[in-house]
Amino acid sequence: MDDVTIVGTEKACTIAFDILKEELESLSLMVNAKKTITTSEALATSLGCKHSECVKLLGAFVGRAVDKERAHIDNMPDTHIPLFDRLPLLPAEIAFRLLTNCGVPRWAHLIRTHEPEVVKPASKRFTELSVRCLANILKVDYNQMDELTYRQIRLPIRHGGLGLHDWFELADAAYAASLSNESSRDRDDDPFAPVPSQGKDTSVDVVWEDTLVALKDEQPDFAAHLKRNATQISSRWLVGPITFASCQPSNVFRAAMLFRLRWAGAHPDDRTPFYCRCGFPNVKVKETTTRDMVTHLAGCPQNGGPTKRHHLVRDALAGIMTRAGYSVQTEVNLDPKGELRMDIVATPPNGLTMYIDTTVANTTSRTLRNKEDVEIFAKKDLEKRKKYQEVANSKGATYCTFAIEVFGD
């Protein structure tokens, strides 16, 4: 036996302590008074143990006064400062994983085990420290973060965010959910236990759903951006296994994170003072923001980004098909003039040759960001088939358009 907790009146606790002490002595065990703590001064005197107005039980502070609990909780964020100071010194991917997997579970426990009025002030402080740490990991200025970026960071990864929650925002729902779960356990042990009132569902998941619904009405463009980031394939790189190779190129990881956040500096929604080498923006110039310019640059052919993405996808697909037993060639001329080139020509051990053309759509661009992926891919496929289908048929091959968007879908 290690730890024992006794709850009750001073008289009841005294009787229970004497019984416990007697029973333990029959087992050749003894109570260590130096490690025994009570919230009652009278009990501390009579039992010869320590007195504290607030004790820590299973990671939660329990006291006779709310202000005593709050005093302990208010000191908790600062205990994480050494961690937050050291994380940016690590490779960016490792630092991000430690940030989301170390501080997050501990604070989630605090908001589930303490009343919101106790934990909310410290939760606000802890949230700020976490996001400041992330800004240092990404090597950007925390003070240049706009509200939409801050909002995305605080959403779960499965909803398009980065998983650094707003603990102040979640405190009420988390504590209510904890009480609801405890009530369920009571009913499991005692079928006659009272059933809690059937009010509004206060689970944390409902908080996220309500947030996303509100964003869809208030910020439809931002909501569409979150939806694209929410798919498993577009978020896998944030939660998948870390390899030696993946954790080395920190700047690549930082760039991917900032692109996910559509980072555009201090004034992302102001009219952009920049122009692309291709001439963008040449229409709706006054409406083009710095964030629009950043997303345009990611998809502008004159900057080389789309070509590099296309070749990465092509080579990855060719490699997979080679390992599957296909005979694979890339960038194959289909006509003597060299005007038609097929990205991949793959021949299986038994079956028809396949012509595969890969295309990567920049769904963050101004022309595509409000369109559904299905609509975008259907248009791409129609364009490619007009170009290649007839040639494929004449050579007895099947044709396929392999379309993917910049977030992986």
Side-chain angles (χ1 to χ4, degrees):
M1 184 177 293
D2 187 10
D3 295 329
V4 177
T5 301
I6 301 175
V7 180
T9 63
E10 291 179 348
K11 182 178 180 179
C13 287
T14 300
I15 295 173
F17 183 82
D18 290 339
I19 295 173
L20 175 65
K21 187 176 180 180
E22 182 179 344
E23 292 294 329
L24 289 177
E25 288 175 351
S26 68
L27 299 173
S28 299
L29 298 173
M30 61 179 293
V31 175
N32 188 344
K34 293 182 178 180
K35 297 179 65 176
T36 302
I37 302 177
T38 175
T39 58
S40 166
E41 291 188 44
L43 278 178
T45 301
S46 63
L47 300 179
C49 62
K50 296 180 180 179
H51 167 257
S52 174
E53 293 181 328
C54 185
V55 297
K56 191 174 184 180
L57 295 175
L58 300 177
F61 294 99
V62 180
R64 295 192 172 197
V66 169
D67 60 325
K68 302 300 181 183
E69 294 180 8
R70 183 184 295 156
H72 284 276
I73 296 290
D74 285 347
N75 292 327
M76 291 296 291
D78 289 343
T79 64
H80 289 74
I81 289 179
L83 172 67
F84 293 147
D85 286 344
R86 287 168 175 77
L87 285 181
L89 304 177
L90 297 172
E93 184 174 7
I94 293 177
F96 172 73
R97 296 295 188 88
L98 290 175
L99 177 63
T100 54
N101 287 283
C102 292
V104 167
R106 187 172 185 181
W107 210 266
H109 178 70
L110 287 176
I111 64 173
R112 288 178 62 86
T113 54
H114 296 86
E115 295 182 358
E117 63 178 297
V118 173
V119 78
K120 271 190 169 183
S123 294
K124 189 172 184 179
R125 167 74 171 153
F126 184 80
T127 299
E128 180 185 340
L129 289 175
S130 300
V131 179
R132 283 185 178 276
C133 179
L134 177 65
N136 290 333
I137 292 171
L138 299 181
K139 295 188 180 301
V140 296
D141 188 348
Y142 170 85
N143 296 315
Q144 291 187 353
M145 201 173 290
D146 71 308
E147 179 55 35
L148 291 184
T149 301
Y150 195 57
R151 174 75 274 179
Q152 185 175 356
I153 288 172
R154 286 149 39 215
L155 284 171
I157 291 175
R158 68 180 183 277
H159 290 314
L162 293 183
L164 293 182
H165 306 315
D166 187 332
W167 301 109
F168 180 91
E169 180 180 68
L170 297 179
D172 291 294
Y175 187 69
S178 179
L179 292 180
S180 177
N181 291 340
E182 189 60 36
S183 297
S184 298
R185 279 195 291 271
D186 289 344
R187 293 196 302 276
D188 291 339
D189 296 335
D190 180 5
F192 300 103
V195 178
S197 59
Q198 301 298 318
K200 180 182 178 182
D201 188 346
T202 56
S203 68
V204 172
D205 286 334
V206 172
V207 174
W208 301 133
E209 291 175 3
D210 290 344
T211 298
L212 293 174
V213 169
L215 286 173
K216 190 173 182 180
D217 294 335
E218 299 167 7
Q219 298 281 349
D221 177 56
F222 180 58
H225 170 70
L226 292 175
K227 183 179 179 181
R228 296 190 189 284
N229 281 278
T231 61
Q232 288 188 3
I233 195 168
S234 62
S235 300
R236 180 64 181 168
W237 60 283
L238 289 172
V239 295
I242 296 179
T243 65
F244 178 78
S246 72
C247 72
Q248 297 307 306
S250 289
N251 284 339
V252 174
F253 183 80
R254 292 186 183 104
M257 292 274 281
L258 293 174
F259 185 72
R260 183 180 176 92
L261 295 171
R262 300 192 302 174
W263 180 268
H267 307 289
D269 295 319
D270 289 356
R271 177 184 171 183
T272 181
F274 310 108
Y275 282 84
C276 179
R277 62 191 299 179
C278 71
F280 179 87
N282 47 21
V283 295
K284 298 183 179 179
V285 178
K286 293 182 178 181
E287 299 175 20
T288 304
T289 66
T290 303
R291 180 172 279 133
D292 291 332
M293 177 57 71
V294 170
T295 54
H296 167 80
L297 292 174
C300 179
Q302 294 199 24
N303 295 311
T307 301
K308 291 178 181 178
R309 284 199 299 268
H310 171 273
H311 290 353
L312 285 171
V313 172
R314 178 202 63 195
D315 294 344
L317 181 58
I320 292 172
M321 298 189 76
T322 298
R323 291 194 295 273
Y326 284 76
S327 174
V328 178
Q329 295 177 286
T330 59
E331 295 299 326
V332 178
N333 285 325
L334 299 182
D335 67 332
K337 297 181 180 181
E339 295 177 353
L340 292 179
R341 295 172 66 88
M342 185 54 56
D343 289 331
I344 297 175
V345 175
T347 305
N350 296 298
L352 298 175
T353 297
M354 296 177 63
Y355 285 3
I356 303 175
D357 189 81
T358 59
T359 182
V360 183
N362 179 21
T363 48
T364 64
S365 68
R366 187 160 61 182
T367 55
L368 298 181
R369 65 190 178 196
N370 293 322
K371 295 182 179 179
E372 294 292 333
D373 290 352
V374 174
E375 179 187 354
I376 296 170
F377 293 158
K379 183 178 180 181
K380 292 282 187 183
D381 183 53
L382 182 61
E383 293 172 356
K384 299 292 185 180
R385 287 188 180 278
K386 286 181 179 180
K387 187 175 181 180
Y388 297 117
Q389 186 69 66
E390 185 177 345
V391 178
N393 292 341
S394 68
K395 296 182 180 292
T398 60
Y399 172 76
C400 173
T401 302
F402 185 84
I404 190 171
E405 51 103 40
V406 288
F407 292 103
D409 281 354

